[in-house]
């Protein structure tokens, strides 16, 4: 596991976009696993800028991690809307190459199976992840077990509370979501976990330097062969010694 610490989320986003460019330029049909929330926005801004500078994304396929249940793609807080606002409307990724779970599918179990088939047919070369304050990746919440396939999840109260800032009222926050399972995440060739802000420092330390355990889902990334953790100085705070250097485990 590599750890990279930047002075700002902006600088970190440029770095992650450069990693994505390497994948895009080196693969005939590159597949990017994408995340939502405020954390990856600097990455999307930098990737859009690279496209404006000449990076062709027409061969790219994208597979998003998750979606709220009950929000259709026209809802301004759906993850589909988020992706179109921050990335898809600004670049030349073909619409038919863009995949997100359908949060209003009439048969949610069938939708989970459909999404697993998409992931199986499009092995992910680079998976972008954020991390929840409770350690969730995607919406794989802390639990006694972590599910391997795409599944329906009941969101933990701390997740609902954290996401309430995007809604007018906490009562509007969906309580369920569809999420890619941990197996699909771990099968990606390369994983980049991004985290910014002091509120993420404790869970980053648990995930990076702690034991692998299901009640800290992000800790399972320690089992992957190629993970880069991209932080700002606030989120890296508990990984550093008094001189500002990385502590050993």
């Amino acid at each position: 596991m590599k750890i990279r610490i930047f002075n700002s989320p902006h600088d970190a986003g440029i770095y992650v976009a450069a990693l994505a460019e390497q994948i895009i330029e080196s693969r005939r049909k590159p597949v990017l696993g994408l995340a939502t929330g405020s954390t990856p926005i600097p990455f999307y801004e930098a990737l859009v800028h690279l496209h404006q500078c000449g990076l062709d994304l027409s061969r790219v396929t994208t597979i998003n991690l998750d979606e709220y249940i009950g929000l259709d793609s026209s809802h301004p807080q759906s993850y589909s809307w988020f992706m179109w606002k921050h990335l898809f409307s600004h670049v030349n990724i073909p619409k038919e190459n863009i995949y997100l779970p359908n949060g209003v599918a009439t048969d949610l179990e069938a939708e989970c199976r459909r999404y697993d088939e998409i992931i199986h047919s499009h092995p992910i070369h680079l998976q972008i992840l954020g991390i929840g304050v409770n350690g969730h990746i995607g919406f794989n919440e802390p639990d006694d077990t972590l599910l391997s396939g795409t599944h329906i999840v009941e969101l933990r109260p701390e997740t609902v509370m954290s996401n309430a800032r995007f809604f007018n009222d906490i009562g509007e926050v969906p309580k369920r979501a569809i999420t890619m399972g941990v197996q699909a995440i771990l099968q990606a060739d390369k994983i980049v976990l991004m985290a910014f802000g002091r509120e993420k420092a404790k869970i980053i330390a648990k995930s990076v330097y702690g034991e692998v355990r299901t009640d800290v889902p992000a800790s399972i990334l320690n089992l992957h062969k190629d993970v880069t953790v991209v932080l700002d100085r606030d989120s890296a705070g508990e990984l550093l010694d008094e001189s500002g250097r990385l502590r050993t485990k």
Side-chain angles (χ1 to χ4, degrees):
M1 181 177 284
K2 297 183 286 290
I3 299 171
R4 299 292 180 265
I5 302 170
F6 295 85
N7 288 328
S8 70
H10 172 78
D11 292 347
I14 292 172
Y15 172 74
V16 177
L19 295 179
E21 181 178 24
Q22 292 175 5
I23 298 293
I24 292 165
E25 295 285 75
S26 64
R27 300 279 184 169
R28 188 171 65 88
K29 293 184 177 181
V31 180
L32 305 181
L34 300 181
T36 51
S38 57
T39 299
I41 289 176
F43 160 59
Y44 294 137
E45 291 174 343
L47 190 60
V48 168
H49 183 66
L50 283 177
H51 171 65
Q52 294 168 343
C53 293
L55 178 62
D56 179 21
L57 301 181
S58 64
R59 297 175 293 106
V60 171
T61 293
T62 65
I63 301 178
N64 264 74
L65 283 165
D66 43 28
E67 179 59 281
Y68 286 123
I69 289 175
L71 302 189
D72 65 28
S73 60
S74 66
H75 192 288
Q77 294 305 331
S78 72
Y79 288 163
S80 178
W81 180 282
F82 174 97
M83 292 305 306
W84 282 96
K85 176 182 178 181
H86 291 287
L87 181 64
F88 298 149
S89 64
H90 306 289
V91 297
N92 65 334
I93 301 173
K95 189 172 183 179
E96 61 270 21
N97 288 4
I98 293 170
Y99 296 101
L100 296 101
N102 179 4
V104 293
T106 54
D107 187 335
L108 292 173
E109 294 293 345
E111 174 62 12
C112 291
R113 293 192 295 272
R114 181 191 76 90
Y115 213 64
D116 279 337
E117 291 172 2
I118 290 169
I119 296 166
H120 179 74
S121 301
H122 302 83
I124 296 171
H125 300 123
L126 173 64
Q127 177 66 61
I128 304 297
L129 297 174
I131 182 173
V133 291
N134 62 6
H136 72 230
I137 48 176
F139 272 135
N140 291 282
E141 298 277 38
D143 207 339
D144 292 336
T145 59
L146 295 176
L147 299 180
S148 60
T150 302
H151 58 282
I152 299 162
V153 61
E154 301 287 336
L155 301 181
R156 296 285 290 267
E158 60 268 25
T159 299
V160 173
M161 181 68 70
S162 179
N163 290 347
R165 67 189 188 277
F166 301 114
F167 293 80
N168 293 323
D169 182 85
I170 192 170
E172 298 178 5
V173 184
K175 305 303 188 293
R176 296 195 301 161
I178 299 176
T179 185
M180 184 187 297
V182 294
Q183 183 180 42
I185 292 172
L186 291 177
Q187 286 178 339
D189 290 348
K190 181 177 182 63
I191 296 173
V192 173
L193 176 68
M194 304 175 69
F196 307 127
R198 189 170 287 108
E199 70 277 8
K200 298 292 179 70
K202 288 186 182 297
I203 196 61
I204 282 293
K206 283 185 178 180
S207 300
V208 173
Y209 284 171
E211 298 177 344
V212 175
R213 41 194 286 180
T214 60
D215 62 347
V216 184
S219 66
I220 202 169
L221 298 178
N222 284 283
L223 304 178
H224 194 275
K225 65 183 185 301
D226 189 354
V227 177
T228 302
V229 180
V230 177
L231 309 170
D232 65 358
R233 298 212 164 267
D234 284 338
S235 59
E238 298 208 6
L239 303 182
L240 306 175
D241 62 21
E242 294 180 355
S243 64
R245 296 178 180 175
L246 276 173
R247 295 188 286 108
T248 57
K249 279 193 178 183

